[in-house]
């Protein structure tokens, strides 16, 4: 039927679009990776050849720290890597980054935004043709907020800003 062929066409387009993508982030991104892996059992090529570069409690500020035995840098190709090096090694053409919750309580809103700017600049330097998508930090349930880590600060971090200076 026409509807079935439209669904197949959209699924194929989706698989193709994500075939050169990488999702980078913290435990939320690990959850997406786990979901993706479960879906792959049911739908081969679900989200194409999407890769994940994530670690629990990882943050955009951690991404700038030196690599060491105690650092949180995810592993790619058998060793811990900086985000920009992993993106380059993968040949990723689309990068989806989700950080914020582990960062605001450590570096505050402005520090987190500054760290994002540095990571994005490093990716652009190493992989200038790569498209970068920043996914908004997730909001918290009322009552679970803390002094620095709260919905007011998450909103401030997520507020659209101009990143034209990064291009």
């Amino acid at each position: 039927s026409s509807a079935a062929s439209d669904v197949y066409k959209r699924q194929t387009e989706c698989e193709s679009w994500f075939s050169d993508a990488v999702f980078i982030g913290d435990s939320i991104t690990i959850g997406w990776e786990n979901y993706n892996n479960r879906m792959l059992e049911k739908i081969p090529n679900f989200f194409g050849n999407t890769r994940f570069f994530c670690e629990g409690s990882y943050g955009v500020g951690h991404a700038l720290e030196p690599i060491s035995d105690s650092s949180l840098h995810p592993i790619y190709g058998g060793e811990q890597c900086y985000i920009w090096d992993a993106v380059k090694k993968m040949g990723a053409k689309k990068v989806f980054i989700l950080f914020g919750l582990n960062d605001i309580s450590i570096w505050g809103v402005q520090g987190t935004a500054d760290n994002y700017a540095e990571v994005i600049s490093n990716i652009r330097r190493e992989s200038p043709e790569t498209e970068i998508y920043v996914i908004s930090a997730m909001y918290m349930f009322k009552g679970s907020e803390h002094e620095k880590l709260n919905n007011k600060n998450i909103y401030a971090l997520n507020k659209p800003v101009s990143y034209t200076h990064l291009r």
Side-chain angles (χ1 to χ4, degrees), residues 8-102:
Y8 178 77
K9 181 181 175 196
R10 283 192 300 259
Q11 179 181 339
T12 303
E13 288 169 356
C14 181
E15 292 166 4
S16 174
W17 198 82
F18 281 101
S19 67
D20 56 3
V22 59
F23 282 80
I24 297 169
D26 55 19
S27 58
I28 295 169
T29 311
I30 290 172
W32 293 347
E33 179 181 27
N34 292 338
Y35 178 78
N36 182 70
N37 292 341
R38 282 194 307 274
M39 290 304 293
L40 283 171
E41 295 171 7
K42 300 174 186 176
I43 306 170
N45 298 318
F46 181 75
F47 268 158
N49 190 28
T50 301
R51 287 154 295 187
F52 292 85
F53 188 72
C54 44
E55 184 67 48
S57 300
Y58 192 45
V60 71
H62 297 118
L64 297 167
E65 295 174 351
I67 293 175
S68 71
D69 290 340
S70 62
S71 67
L72 292 173
H73 297 279
I75 294 173
Y76 181 76
E79 62 185 14
Q80 286 183 306
C81 291
Y82 291 108
I83 290 171
W84 47 92
D85 291 334
V87 168
K88 186 174 184 178
K89 289 176 184 179
M90 290 176 191
K93 299 297 178 202
K94 296 173 198 81
V95 172
F96 296 86
I97 305 175
L98 170 59
F99 289 119
L101 295 185
N102 296 316

Side-chain angles (χ1 to χ4, degrees), residues 75-163:
I75 294 173
Y76 181 76
E79 62 185 14
Q80 286 183 306
C81 291
Y82 291 108
I83 290 171
W84 47 92
D85 291 334
V87 168
K88 186 174 184 178
K89 289 176 184 179
M90 290 176 191
K93 299 297 178 202
K94 296 173 198 81
V95 172
F96 296 86
I97 305 175
L98 170 59
F99 289 119
L101 295 185
N102 296 316
D103 294 281
I104 291 174
S105 57
I106 300 170
W107 291 282
V109 173
Q110 189 58 54
T112 300
D114 292 345
N115 290 339
Y116 253 114
E118 189 173 344
V119 166
I120 290 168
S121 292
N122 291 343
I123 294 170
R124 289 225 182 281
R125 181 190 69 237
E126 296 299 320
S127 303
E129 301 301 315
T130 299
E131 297 174 44
I132 301 171
Y133 301 87
V134 176
I135 300 170
S136 297
M138 304 294 179
Y139 290 96
M140 303 175 70
F141 286 110
K142 232 180 180 120
S144 66
E145 299 171 277
H146 303 282
E147 184 181 338
K148 282 186 180 178
L149 181 55
N150 55 56
N151 285 331
K152 179 182 174 192
N153 285 342
I154 293 170
Y155 178 81
L157 180 66
N158 288 341
K159 190 175 171 183
V161 295
S162 171
Y163 289 103

